Amino acid sequence: MPVVQDLAFWVLSVVAIAAALGVVLVKDLFRSALLLAVVFISVAGFFVLLSAEFLAVVQVLIYVGAISVLFIFGIMLTRNVREGNVPNRLQIPAVMCASLLLVGMIAAAINTDWRPIPEAAAQMVDAAQTQSVAGPPAGASSSGYAEQDTGLAELLIADFVLPFEAVSLLLLAALIGGLALARSRGS
């Protein structure tokens, strides 16, 4: 089975990198938005490989189903879609920022200690993943199990409430932008 997972990882990696390059390099905005949806689907595939099925479903629902559709909706409502991305004065600073980010990511990858996790920690991770996706054991009451299964909800409401709300603000901003584009086109 690891051979299949390795093959799936490399296929997803090639697809994600090719689609991400296409998002940046393709001049047609509509095709660029479609390639962005392919990148989002590839990331969902990575989540599946990491046994994070919930995150994969959220990735598909929110990013592919909502964000990409909003982008495509906004593109279709704008004028002169066929002209593509016109160069502007921020092109050189954008390349410099992206280059600095790439250098930082390479430096972080080089300086990271990539030792495998100890066997005891790996067993704890496996146990946590099994408990999060499996139902209560046969013959066990579901009341105690329900307390263990609320971990994700507690994390979203307690520790990760700020990123959760940031995503909702991102969706709201995209919706307002789409409405503003539609309103300016109608008048």
Side-chain angles (χ1 to χ4, degrees):
M1 197 60 149
V3 174
V4 174
Q5 290 178 343
D6 288 345
L7 181 65
F9 171 78
W10 287 110
V11 168
L12 282 172
S13 298
V14 168
V15 168
I17 291 170
L21 286 172
V23 168
V24 177
L25 298 175
V26 169
K27 295 235 182 239
D28 186 11
L29 290 175
F30 181 73
R31 288 191 175 107
S32 181
L34 291 178
L35 287 170
L36 185 63
V38 172
V39 172
F40 290 153
I41 291 171
S42 306
V43 171
F46 288 128
F47 285 138
V48 170
L49 288 176
L50 291 170
S51 298
E53 290 84 8
F54 176 75
L55 290 177
V57 170
V58 168
Q59 175 80 17
V60 169
L61 288 177
I62 292 177
Y63 286 99
V64 178
I67 300 293
S68 295
V69 170
L70 264 172
F71 283 167
I72 292 170
F73 179 70
I75 289 168
M76 297 306 288
L77 288 175
T78 58
R79 290 175 240 160
N80 303 328
V81 175
R82 292 284 179 198
E83 289 180 13
N85 297 332
V86 294
N88 60 25
R89 59 187 164 90
L90 296 177
Q91 194 169 14
I92 292 174
V95 169
M96 290 175 49
C97 288
S99 300
L100 287 174
L101 179 64
L102 178 64
V103 168
M105 290 171 55
I106 290 172
I110 290 172
N111 294 328
T112 300
D113 185 19
W114 294 102
R115 286 181 285 164
I117 58 176
E119 185 64 31
Q123 289 176 353
M124 289 174 45
V125 169
D126 288 340
Q129 287 178 345
T130 303
Q131 286 179 354
S132 67
V133 295
S141 72
S142 60
S143 62
Y145 188 77
E147 293 172 6
Q148 293 175 346
D149 203 27
T150 59
L152 181 63
E154 288 176 4
L155 283 175
L156 283 176
I157 293 179
D159 296 341
F160 294 102
V161 70
L162 189 60
F164 189 70
E165 291 300 322
V167 169
S168 67
L169 288 175
L170 175 69
L171 289 171
L172 179 64
L175 180 64
I176 291 172
L179 290 173
L181 287 172
R183 175 172 258 192
S184 66
R185 185 172 187 227
S187 55

